[in-house]
Amino acid sequence: MNKTFKIYAIIFIIIMVILALLEVNKKEVTDWRKNFDPNEKSPFGLFVFNKESKDLFKSQLKKIDKTPYDYYNQNKKEVHNILIIEKQVDKESWRKILTEVSKGSDAMLIVSRIPKEISDSIGYYDSQISFNEQNVLKLTDQKYKNDFINLDKFPSGRGFSYLKPGIEILGKTIEKDNADQANFIKAKFGKGNIYVHSEPLFLTNYYLLKPENIKYTQDVFSYLNDRETLWFVEADDTKASSKFFMRFILSKPALKYAWWIFLGGLILFIFFNAKRKQRIVPIIEPLKNTSVDFVKSIGNLYLQEGDFHDMMAKKAQYFLNRVRMDLLIDTQNLDHDFAKKLQLKTGKPVELIQEAIQLIRKAQDPYASVMKEDLARMNKILDEIILK
């Protein structure tokens, strides 16, 4: 492990420790967003209602994860109940719901608003009827006169300011300084009925966890017939983030820490391995000088053949060529003048020069008798004159 890697590893560990300490010591922040998510445990989620719905609807509640338009195009149903809780529904799906109601089904729409053309077809106009930070929801039926719910956290304040004749008011918003306003109505539509409640907050975790509010919820759903109820819970486009595959991991502190540590380690690994690595340099053997081996091979060949005269002739030829090229002495005549010039330029003794000339003449004489000793002596003398 090199020094640079150690430094980055220490920095990474320090950062992770700091993040962990900040996470452990941070205060939990309550999410007050009105998400109306059946799986969300925040104050304005529907987790509690989702868990209790089985008993509330006597095990006849069926959750549908498709839009009403897609579901009814694929399924033909007998009369049933339809439940929509504060979710965006496309206009084609609303029309499908109205079609099913006209055939005899009942629909419970617990929404703060729906498209105007749909509300007009039902026979009401919804608007902001209250701006108070607190109000009370109460049912108009005398048998439910003791059942109410106090909305003390972010009520929407929406209700119905205009109702067509024939629409029955089932619940109102009660305020001290304002007249009572309808917030829960029943409208006959074809063979069925449509129930519209404009304040879905009463179904959220924050209010259902208060025991005194449960009775009001039971009273509202008591208007539906005892039969199969389809609750359309298919996620809205506006809540697409809830489908994020990391949602569960990021919602659990332990898994979230493990995930961030994993990502940090992965980034660190990629950072160090992304550097250009030196490829292994192959060992290239230097080219071998075969000249010596070649000369030895040729020498051995001549030695085996025993042609000492030819070897002396070639040695003499090689020597004279060196004299011409290096010493610039004419080698046409190996006379006294040649011997004097060679002696002056090489500085060798006269006797050595004379012996070399005699051996060269002997090598050049094709009829001379040459012995092995002559070759050895000539080789020694000539090398001594030229090389030393």
Side-chain angles (χ1 to χ4, degrees):
M1 183 183 295
N2 57 41
K3 185 177 180 181
T4 304
F5 180 83
K6 290 181 179 178
I7 293 174
Y8 281 106
I10 292 172
I11 293 174
F12 171 72
I13 293 172
I14 292 174
I15 293 174
M16 289 295 105
V17 171
I18 293 174
L19 290 176
L21 291 175
L22 291 175
E23 189 70 23
V24 169
N25 294 322
K26 78 173 184 179
K27 295 182 179 179
E28 289 292 333
V29 178
T30 303
D31 182 6
W32 289 101
R33 290 176 297 176
K34 299 179 181 180
N35 54 75
F36 299 100
D37 188 338
N39 300 309
E40 185 59 59
K41 296 181 180 180
S42 61
F44 292 149
L46 299 179
F47 181 80
V48 176
F49 175 76
N50 187 28
K51 293 297 182 184
E52 299 298 327
S53 59
K54 182 178 180 180
D55 295 331
L56 187 62
F57 291 91
K58 300 177 182 179
S59 300
Q60 297 188 74
L61 180 68
K62 182 179 180 181
K63 286 180 284 188
I64 307 299
D65 60 357
K66 299 179 181 179
T67 64
Y69 178 81
D70 291 334
Y71 179 78
Y72 288 121
N73 275 342
Q74 299 170 6
N75 299 275
K76 302 298 180 182
K77 300 289 292 184
E78 299 294 332
V79 290
H80 57 284
N81 297 328
I82 300 169
L83 177 60
I84 302 290
I85 301 176
E86 192 62 6
K87 68 187 303 292
Q88 292 187 6
V89 179
D90 60 272
K91 293 181 180 180
E92 292 301 321
S93 291
W94 281 123
R95 293 190 181 96
K96 282 291 184 181
I97 292 173
L98 296 181
T99 299
E100 292 299 318
V101 173
S102 66
K103 296 177 182 178
S105 296
D106 290 338
M108 178 75 76
L109 312 178
I110 306 177
V111 293
S112 57
R113 66 182 71 187
I114 62 176
K116 187 176 183 304
E117 61 182 280
I118 304 300
S119 61
D120 287 346
S121 64
I122 296 174
Y124 74 88
Y125 178 72
D126 61 328
S127 63
Q128 191 78 26
I129 61 173
S130 172
F131 294 95
N132 288 356
E133 295 181 358
Q134 181 174 339
N135 52 47
V136 176
L137 306 184
K138 192 170 184 177
L139 300 176
T140 58
D141 196 318
Q142 284 298 311
K143 64 182 178 181
Y144 302 135
K145 64 180 181 179
N146 295 323
D147 302 332
F148 62 91
I149 184 170
N150 181 26
L151 299 183
D152 58 350
K153 288 287 186 181
F154 312 116
S156 67
R158 301 193 66 81
F160 311 118
S161 58
Y162 169 75
L163 299 172
K164 289 183 179 179
I167 292 181
E168 182 181 354
I169 297 176
L170 303 179
K172 293 183 177 182
T173 297
I174 311 297
E175 294 181 338
K176 292 181 180 180
D177 302 329
N178 299 314
D180 298 348
Q181 294 286 341
N183 61 27
F184 184 27
I185 60 174
K186 173 184 177 181
K188 187 71 177 176
F189 193 88
K191 296 181 181 180
N193 299 298
I194 297 178
Y195 300 88
V196 184
H197 199 302
S198 62
E199 184 55 270
L201 276 183
F202 75 92
L203 294 176
T204 59
N205 301 326
Y206 178 78
Y207 293 106
L208 282 186
L209 288 174
K210 299 178 180 180
E212 64 272 18
N213 295 333
I214 297 177
K215 191 64 171 65
Y216 178 86
T217 302
Q218 293 173 339
D219 295 343
V220 169
F221 288 107
S222 67
Y223 287 98
L224 292 176
N225 291 320
D226 187 11
R227 60 190 177 190
E228 182 184 31
T229 301
L230 303 181
W231 179 18
F232 289 94
V233 296
E234 188 263 344
D236 301 332
D237 293 338
T238 57
K239 298 178 183 177
S241 59
S242 64
K243 291 184 176 181
F244 181 47
F245 74 98
M246 290 297 300
R247 182 172 180 265
F248 176 76
I249 291 178
L250 296 180
S251 66
K252 306 298 180 182
L255 292 177
K256 182 170 66 174
Y257 300 148
W259 172 251
W260 288 123
I261 290 174
F262 167 74
L263 280 184
L266 183 61
I267 293 171
L268 194 64
F269 173 80
I270 293 174
F271 176 78
F272 285 106
N273 281 272
K275 293 182 178 180
R276 183 176 180 272
K277 290 185 176 181
Q278 178 67 43
R279 292 188 303 172
I280 298 175
V281 179
I283 299 175
I284 301 177
E285 294 289 343
L287 294 177
K288 190 175 181 180
N289 187 353
T290 58
S291 300
V292 176
D293 292 337
F294 176 74
V295 171
K296 288 181 179 179
S297 298
I298 297 300
N300 291 331
L301 178 62
Y302 276 97
L303 188 62
Q304 290 175 3
E305 291 294 327
D307 192 349
F308 304 118
H309 190 280
D310 187 43
M311 293 179 68
M312 282 187 66
K314 285 183 169 55
K315 180 68 176 179
Q317 184 180 1
Y318 171 75
F319 173 79
L320 294 175
N321 182 67
R322 288 285 303 277
V323 170
R324 288 192 300 271
M325 300 300 294
D326 297 344
L327 302 180
L328 302 177
I329 299 174
D330 183 20
T331 60
Q332 186 69 30
N333 297 310
L334 302 181
D335 52 12
H336 177 75
D337 187 47
F338 169 79
K340 186 176 180 180
K341 292 179 180 179
L342 184 61
Q343 190 273 328
L344 289 174
K345 289 195 174 185
T346 60
K348 301 300 179 182
V350 177
E351 295 79 9
L352 188 64
I353 297 297
Q354 291 296 337
E355 186 178 0
I357 292 174
Q358 291 178 2
L359 290 172
I360 291 173
R361 287 173 177 171
K362 189 174 184 178
Q364 291 178 340
D365 184 1
Y367 300 106
S369 177
V370 176
M371 304 296 291
K372 181 178 180 181
E373 289 75 10
D374 296 329
L375 175 61
R377 180 61 181 168
M378 178 183 179
N379 187 67
K380 180 179 179 181
I381 293 175
L382 296 186
D383 285 348
E384 185 175 353
I385 293 174
I386 294 298
L387 300 179
K388 296 182 180 182

